[in-house]
Amino acid sequence: DKYHDSIFLSIIPIIALVIVQVLVAKISQRHAKVREVIEGKESVIINKGKIKFEEMQKQRYNLDDLLTQLRNKGIRSIEEVAYAILETSGKLSIFQKQNNNIGNYPLPVIVDGMIQTDTLQQIAKNTNWLNKELVKEHLTSKDVLYAFYKEKELFIIKNESIK
């Protein structure tokens, strides 16, 4: 009888943790702000071929880490990289320069209806510009699942779940 009680008392916290995990996953899936708090946000470490040391410090990411991950991807020199993004998983996504020019990496402007103000700063645009572009398409940011800026053009993918 004591044995069954101790097993039961051990299972209760496990079940509670599973329930909490499922609830947090569902909430973070629906709310970008919650997801950002829980999982963090990706960071641009190399932008247009230039290392962003302030961003590296903010992420507690050092030059050794950067060089190691570049070597793991077969890249010999930082000069070969147009963009490097430190993902929330800790992995580095790398976009190489093309023909010794900066590659045109698609920069996310809207993700799940949330305007990415840091991206707007990178492309020297503002929310007024973005709103004008959205109005041309009869949209608001909440209607957009994903929008990105590439080669001086805005590409929009509508959120089909919104009726």
Side-chain angles (χ1 to χ4, degrees):
D1 192 38
K2 276 187 172 182
Y3 176 74
H4 292 291
D5 288 345
S6 68
I7 288 176
F8 182 72
L9 291 175
S10 299
I11 291 175
I12 290 173
I14 294 169
I15 292 171
L17 284 173
V18 169
I19 290 170
V20 167
Q21 171 63 32
V22 168
L23 287 173
V24 168
K26 285 194 181 275
I27 291 169
S28 68
Q29 185 178 14
R30 293 177 191 225
H31 302 286
K33 288 282 187 198
V34 173
R35 183 171 49 248
E36 191 175 313
V37 168
I38 293 170
E39 297 176 9
K41 191 173 184 204
E42 71 279 341
S43 300
V44 178
I45 300 295
I46 298 177
N47 185 16
K48 297 179 184 171
K50 295 188 190 307
I51 299 173
K52 295 177 70 180
F53 289 103
E54 283 182 29
E55 191 62 32
M56 286 176 62
Q57 281 183 327
K58 215 163 74 175
Q59 298 301 326
R60 290 184 236 42
Y61 192 76
N62 62 40
L63 197 54
D64 247 5
D65 296 333
L66 177 62
L67 294 172
T68 299
Q69 289 206 34
L70 290 175
R71 283 192 303 271
N72 287 340
K73 302 271 183 168
I75 296 172
R76 293 181 211 104
S77 169
I78 290 173
E79 285 77 33
E80 296 177 35
V81 179
Y83 295 93
I85 299 165
L86 183 61
E87 304 292 351
T88 56
S89 65
K91 293 191 176 189
L92 195 67
S93 295
I94 300 165
F95 300 87
Q96 289 183 271
K97 291 180 181 177
Q98 300 166 346
N99 302 328
N100 293 329
N101 292 324
I102 298 296
N104 283 322
Y105 163 70
L107 297 166
V109 176
I110 299 175
V111 178
D112 280 335
M114 300 293 295
I115 296 172
Q116 309 297 304
T117 53
D118 52 338
T119 300
L120 289 175
Q121 289 174 349
Q122 284 179 20
I123 62 174
K125 303 285 184 191
N126 59 32
T127 53
N128 290 336
W129 167 84
L130 179 59
N131 287 328
K132 285 177 187 173
E133 293 296 313
L134 292 171
V135 165
K136 289 179 192 175
E137 302 295 323
H138 307 289
L139 298 170
T140 69
S141 63
K142 299 295 179 204
D143 301 323
V144 178
L145 178 66
Y146 181 65
F148 62 92
Y149 188 80
K150 182 179 179 185
E151 297 175 6
K152 300 184 180 184
E153 193 173 341
L154 182 66
F155 297 87
I156 300 170
I157 300 169
K158 294 179 192 172
N159 189 342
E160 297 299 327
S161 69
I162 296 175
K163 306 271 188 231

